[in-house]
Amino acid sequence: MVEFSDFECPYCNAARPMIDELIKSRPQVKVCFATFPLAIHPNSTLAGQAALFARDNGKFLTMSNALFDNQLALSEGLIRQLVKKVGLDEKAFDKAVAEKKYLDELNASKEAGKAGGVDSTPSVFVNGRKVTLTFSLETMLLAVDDEQDWVSGTSSWNGN
């Protein structure tokens, strides 16, 4: 499962508990977070860079949660404070930002999303298929279960 998300998007923040519950109830499902910074959110690109920097330092989930938890107050200064708060090297982060280390990856993630049909955040794909039903835990569980049935050949769609 791939979730295209923006750290300043309130709908993405609202989806967090559903994704967490999905992970708990379907531990066999690998969930990949793909950054999709929206132009209307002025701090989403820097937040995405902070998340990728944290990922490279083994603290993606901690940073991701900190960014979402502080979503309404995100600013350049706060993002840098969060980098320090989660135990990352501020100077190394500043250097990575200055060198634009993560911009190509952010842009590639966004382009991949656009190519796949992302037109809003959050957008979720299960085995490459976009989930277009109302975003809810029940919908996500149904999509994952249906995909697992399909892949295993036990789906009612194949005449079994």
Side-chain angles (χ1 to χ4, degrees), residues 20-43:
D20 290 345
E21 186 59 36
L22 175 86
I23 291 167
K24 288 177 188 169
S25 62
R26 301 295 187 276
Q28 70 277 22
V29 175
K30 180 179 179 184
V31 178
C32 299
F33 183 93
T35 53
F36 197 88
L38 297 170
I40 61 170
H41 296 138
N43 300 294

Side-chain angles (χ1 to χ4, degrees), residues 9-78:
C9 170
Y11 301 105
C12 296
N13 198 10
R16 286 171 57 204
M18 289 179 264
I19 299 295
D20 290 345
E21 186 59 36
L22 175 86
I23 291 167
K24 288 177 188 169
S25 62
R26 301 295 187 276
Q28 70 277 22
V29 175
K30 180 179 179 184
V31 178
C32 299
F33 183 93
T35 53
F36 197 88
L38 297 170
I40 61 170
H41 296 138
N43 300 294
S44 62
T45 297
L46 185 61
Q49 291 176 79
L52 295 175
F53 177 77
R55 175 203 64 199
D56 287 354
N57 290 280
K59 296 195 175 198
F60 174 80
L61 190 56
T62 304
M63 176 57 81
S64 175
N65 286 335
L67 291 166
F68 276 125
D69 289 346
N70 291 279
Q71 182 181 69
L72 296 177
L74 283 183
S75 66
E76 183 176 333
L78 179 59

Side-chain angles (χ1 to χ4, degrees), residues 92-147:
F93 174 67
D94 289 339
K95 182 180 178 189
V97 170
E99 294 174 352
K100 301 179 181 181
K101 180 176 180 177
Y102 297 105
L103 285 183
D104 286 344
E105 186 175 349
L106 283 172
N107 290 332
S109 177
K110 193 166 184 174
E111 289 306 312
K114 287 180 184 177
V118 172
D119 53 7
S120 63
T121 57
S123 285
V124 174
F125 293 77
V126 177
N127 275 357
R129 287 194 274 277
K130 186 175 180 184
V131 177
T132 57
L133 301 171
T134 302
F135 197 92
S136 68
L137 177 59
E138 292 77 22
T139 299
M140 300 309 305
L141 291 170
L142 183 63
V144 166
D145 291 346
D146 186 52
E147 186 63 27

